[in-house]
Amino acid sequence: HITFLPPPRRTTPPALRAARPREALLDAALLCLRERGYEATAVDDILSATRLTKGAFYFHFDSKEEFALAAIDRALARFWPEIEKAMRTRGDDPFTPIYALFKLFSGDCTHGCIFGNLSAEMAARSPTIRLRLAGVFGCWTGALVFVVNDLKTRGAIAAEADSSTLARLILAQLQGALLLGKLEPELNHLDIHAHALTTLLAATRGVIPMGPLDGAIKRAVASASFPSTLSASPFLLCLPSLSHSL
């Protein structure tokens, strides 16, 4: 599982904190920004978590926005190796990489994904932060294209399917499951949606798509057999009409 929490403050020697103030500030940001969001996280909250001064903060960052950008980079550097490892997982089931990716985030869904949370909050407020996050998701989508292409090679999905669009679908499904996990933590949305997604992808076999996520996904939804717990899912009911906007 991805570990979002930085090392406990009490176990960090004061000398080490003083030697690495920038890293300490960014580690605190990963937790605060994910749990509270950008607007609800004050610079004083970060300073309280790190026991550093405002002088130390503004020595390294000219503004809170610049600090958030650095925190996004820090989060990507910290979490990407685990994400990439999950997507490279292989098994007898060709959909193993997708299951591994969803499972990676199952440790704590209460606060969602820092990238998804900041995107929802800041996309319309800060063009700079929006572009940085778009880069993160672009990198993620690019990596998922390789996963989709491998599924094609193994005959798990239709060879004619648009790889880039399906990669975006996988990422959107993951982020959606994490969002719903915040609303309904008692339900295992990651497992539910991973199963629904792989069933949907598998149903594209033999379907000749008319365009990215157009006819192929509509027909796949119509022909797929989903667990009873998902039969009335608003996502599944709305997917055909939503496919035009993806």
Side-chain angles (χ1 to χ4, degrees):
H1 300 308
I2 283 183
T3 302
F4 290 97
L5 296 175
R9 186 176 62 189
R10 292 181 180 177
T11 62
T12 305
L16 183 58
R17 287 203 308 272
R20 300 188 302 115
R22 188 177 190 276
E23 287 76 8
L25 290 166
L26 292 175
D27 281 341
L30 298 188
L31 178 60
C32 292
L33 290 176
R34 177 173 176 255
E35 291 189 353
R36 306 176 193 177
Y38 180 87
E39 293 295 341
T41 297
V43 171
D44 285 342
D45 295 328
I46 302 297
L47 299 180
S48 177
T50 57
R51 299 178 184 174
L52 292 170
T53 65
K54 283 191 176 181
F57 180 91
Y58 287 107
F59 176 81
H60 293 286
F61 308 102
D62 291 335
S63 65
K64 183 180 174 183
E65 182 180 64
E66 181 183 308
F67 176 60
L69 292 172
I72 292 169
D73 293 343
R74 177 80 163 184
L76 184 62
R78 169 173 289 186
F79 304 141
W80 184 253
E82 296 180 63
I83 293 172
E84 186 175 37
K85 180 180 178 181
M87 293 189 293
R88 290 179 179 273
T89 304
R90 294 294 181 268
D92 293 335
D93 186 336
F95 293 106
T96 296
I98 294 178
Y99 289 123
L101 178 62
F102 277 62
K103 185 178 180 180
L104 183 63
F105 287 86
S106 64
D108 174 19
C109 296
T110 306
H111 301 292
C113 167
I114 186 172
F115 305 122
N117 293 351
L118 287 176
S119 295
E121 181 185 9
M122 300 303 297
R125 298 183 184 183
S126 169
T128 305
I129 292 177
R130 177 182 63 80
L131 288 174
R132 187 65 57 86
L133 289 166
V136 171
F137 284 113
C139 175
W140 206 337
T141 301
L144 281 169
V145 166
F146 288 96
V147 174
V148 173
N149 287 338
D150 183 65
L151 290 173
K152 290 182 180 181
T153 299
R154 301 184 67 174
I157 64 175
E160 301 86 353
D162 184 85
S163 297
S164 179
T165 305
L166 291 185
R168 291 177 182 274
L169 175 64
I170 295 170
L171 184 54
Q173 186 81 341
L174 172 63
Q175 290 295 323
L178 288 167
L179 174 61
L180 291 175
K182 294 170 63 176
L183 298 174
E184 301 171 312
E186 70 279 3
L187 298 179
N188 194 340
H189 279 287
L190 286 166
D191 279 353
I192 292 172
H193 285 263
H195 182 83
L197 174 63
T198 54
T199 303
L200 182 62
L201 291 173
T204 66
R205 287 178 298 186
V207 178
I208 300 176
M210 294 178 287
L213 282 184
D214 187 25
I217 297 301
K218 286 186 178 181
R219 296 175 189 177
V221 172
S223 63
S225 175
F226 295 96
S228 58
T229 55
L230 298 174
S231 59
S233 167
F235 172 79
L236 296 180
L237 295 176
C238 296
L239 185 56
S241 60
L242 290 176
S243 64
H244 287 290
S245 64
L246 293 177

